Amino acid sequence: MAHTAGSPPPTPPAAHLGSAWPRALAFGAAYLGSAILGAQLSLKPLPFVGFWLPSGLFASVLLRSDPRSWPGLTLAAVVANLAFD
C-alpha cells in the first residue's frame, strides 16, 4: 500500500504491541480489584458472588479497545479470574 502525502504513514502490525501489554496488565489489576470488591459486597454466608463486577468492566474495555488487543485483554482477565479463585 502506497503512502500518500496527506495521510499518516501506516503502522506495522506489531507496532501496537508495545503499548498493549501495559494496558492489559492494568486491566488485569482492575479486573482483580473489581472481583475482590464484588466479593466484599456480596452476602457473607453465601459461597458465591451475586453481582460480578468484572463482567461489566470486561465488556466495556472490549467495546472501547482495538480488536487486535482483545487476546491480551482476554488473557489478563483469565489470569486475574484464576488469581481471584
Side-chain angles (χ1 to χ4, degrees):
M1 187 160 119
H3 173 67
T4 60
S7 66
T11 57
H16 73 285
L17 291 178
S19 64
W21 288 111
R23 184 174 180 205
L25 288 174
F27 167 69
Y31 188 97
L32 181 60
S34 64
I36 292 169
L37 178 64
Q40 295 296 321
L41 294 174
S42 67
L43 301 172
K44 296 301 175 198
L46 298 176
F48 59 87
V49 177
F51 187 63
W52 190 240
L53 295 174
S55 62
L57 176 68
F58 191 41
S60 64
V61 167
L62 285 181
L63 288 172
R64 294 187 50 88
S65 65
D66 182 29
R68 293 182 293 181
S69 65
W70 289 1
L73 294 171
T74 303
L75 179 63
V78 167
V79 170
N81 200 9
L82 290 174
F84 175 73
D85 290 336

